[in-house]
Amino acid sequence: MFKRIENFLRKTYKPQEAPWKRKALFFISLSLVIVSGTVAFTQHYDHWTNDKVWIVIAFFGLISLIGLYISIFAKDFWVALFLGKI
């Protein structure tokens, strides 16, 4: 089942794999994790804005954690698919 999804995505999106994409995704995701954590700490500690900001913080934090996981553990195909056609 998982192989069929991967084959469908390969035919549909045709991601271009490159060795530099893994490092780029790792540093982008790591910087977003650091920024999300800093903003979350500031929001919790100082209460500088309303609670709807937590949705934005959680969204960016989740996306960056997924990107960090993909950059460390996934195949080059998934790294290229996550970054898009850069």
Side-chain angles (χ1 to χ4, degrees):
M1 176 72 178
F2 191 68
K3 190 68 172 172
R4 287 178 30 196
I5 293 171
E6 186 175 332
N7 288 336
F8 171 75
L9 290 173
R10 278 187 195 274
K11 284 192 277 185
T12 305
Y13 294 108
K14 298 178 182 128
Q16 300 168 353
E17 299 175 14
W20 59 268
K21 286 188 176 185
R22 184 174 298 275
K23 293 176 189 171
L25 181 61
F26 178 77
F27 286 116
I28 291 169
S29 298
L30 186 63
S31 63
L32 278 174
V33 165
I34 291 169
V35 168
S36 296
T38 304
V39 170
F41 175 76
T42 306
Q43 164 67 8
H44 177 70
Y45 187 71
D46 293 334
H47 301 289
W48 53 268
T49 189
N50 60 12
D51 291 335
K52 293 176 185 158
V53 172
W54 283 110
I55 296 172
V56 176
I57 294 170
F59 175 74
F60 280 107
L62 180 66
I63 294 297
S64 61
L65 286 175
I66 291 170
L68 199 61
Y69 178 81
I70 288 174
S71 69
I72 294 172
F73 296 114
K75 295 190 283 186
D76 285 337
F77 166 74
W78 293 104
V79 172
L81 184 67
F82 195 77
L83 276 179
K85 291 191 177 190
I86 297 176

